[in-house]
Amino acid sequence: AQTVTQSQPEMSVQEAETVTLSCTYDTSENNYYLFWYKQPPSRQMILVIRQEAYKQQNATENRFSVNFQKAAKSFSLKISDSQLGDTAMYFCAFMRGNTDKLIFGTGTRLQVFP
Amino acid sequence: SQTIHQWPATLVQPVGSPLSLECTVEGTSNPNLYWYRQAAGRGLQLLFYSVGIGQISSEVPQNLSASRPQDRQFILSSKKLLLSDSGFYLCAWGTGGDDGYTFGSGTRLTVV
């Protein structure tokens, strides 16, 4: 069975600085997708960024980028120029290619300080 | 555009009472639908998913059930709530592949 591990329960960063959130996963599959979701205090789940396993190039969305290391089964999220609005829970998630079921990690609570 | 509606936003129910949470999707046909539960300080646990009308798959044994009476309607139910059913319940829809899911705004259920 696939598992997703986020080893950092809490992180903090100063406004305008850069922070990296870690995620590792375990799978024997070759075709899968990886996601980072943000859950602000409103608790609405928001898709931040996605990565297809067959793509070697790391995904980027504005200030958000990932470091996808397929061999190491690592999928970290880098937030550049952190903003107060980035304060939220961040969940890493895995989807096997033909199942469409998202498996989530336990989350990392990120606090951005002014 | 596609939207997902989930209600109620909050609910306080006594132990032993029934439960019905509803989720509807607009702007898409034949979506895959999902119910997740998020316990305090924990991640999201997949409870049920449905790939079509009347088709329900359960991921974990529990006190809850799900139904899909219409293509874009997904209902989470219980005949008798337990204290352990308290949590934050999220409905989501997806089309497969790299689009991920779109989530509803969630229901905070407190069983007292």
Side-chain angles (χ1 to χ4, degrees):
Chain A
Q2 289 81 17
T3 58
V4 178
T5 302
Q6 294 179 251
S7 59
Q8 305 154 314
E10 295 184 358
M11 296 277 288
S12 62
V13 64
Q14 196 150 22
E15 200 175 6
E17 297 296 310
T18 296
V19 64
T20 299
L21 308 184
S22 301
C23 173
T24 59
Y25 57 96
D26 186 25
T27 184
S28 58
E29 301 289 329
N30 198 45
N31 177 29
Y32 54 88
Y33 305 94
L34 296 163
F35 306 84
W36 278 98
Y37 278 86
K38 170 184 177 180
Q39 188 181 43
S42 67
R43 303 202 76 171
Q44 178 71 50
M45 293 288 284
I46 302 166
L47 177 63
V48 175
I49 199 165
R50 63 173 73 92
Q51 174 81 43
E52 296 93 333
Y54 61 86
K55 289 187 177 179
Q56 293 185 335
Q57 185 174 5
N58 290 324
T60 299
E61 288 288 342
N62 301 312
R63 298 183 294 107
F64 298 88
S65 61
V66 298
N67 182 7
F68 174 47
Q69 301 290 326
K70 190 171 183 178
K73 297 179 182 176
S74 171
F75 183 61
S76 60
L77 174 70
K78 185 172 83 171
I79 306 175
S80 304
D81 186 25
S82 296
Q83 300 176 359
L84 296 178
D86 295 334
T87 293
M89 280 287 286
Y90 286 83
F91 292 97
C92 178
F94 170 97
M95 177 188 292
R96 200 173 67 187
N98 60 349
T99 65
D100 191 36
K101 287 193 288 183
L102 266 178
I103 300 169
F104 286 87
T106 52
T108 297
R109 185 176 302 278
L110 176 67
Q111 179 73 50
V112 180
F113 291 97
Chain B
S1 63
Q2 301 90 354
T3 56
I4 180 168
H5 303 281
Q6 187 179 342
W7 69 92
T10 59
L11 192 60
V12 179
Q13 291 285 94
V15 169
S17 63
L19 173 73
S20 180
L21 303 182
E22 189 162 344
C23 173
T24 59
V25 181
E26 296 178 358
T28 186
S29 297
N30 197 32
N32 294 338
L33 297 172
Y34 307 86
W35 279 111
Y36 280 84
R37 177 169 58 202
Q38 184 179 18
R42 300 179 65 181
L44 281 74
Q45 181 185 37
L46 179 61
L47 302 177
F48 301 96
Y49 69 95
S50 171
V51 298
I53 296 175
Q55 300 179 60
I56 308 295
S57 296
S58 174
E59 288 293 298
V60 293
Q62 59 201 301
N63 183 45
L64 303 168
S65 62
S67 62
R68 185 169 177 175
Q70 301 180 42
D71 180 43
R72 288 171 285 180
Q73 184 184 30
F74 203 24
I75 297 172
L76 184 69
S77 304
S78 174
K79 292 182 179 178
K80 290 184 178 182
L81 284 169
L82 307 172
L83 287 175
S84 58
D85 292 324
S86 293
F88 188 67
Y89 290 83
L90 283 160
C91 178
W93 75 272
T95 57
D98 64 349
D99 291 333
Y101 292 178
T102 299
F103 284 86
S105 54
T107 296
R108 182 183 301 277
L109 171 66
T110 304
V111 182
V112 295

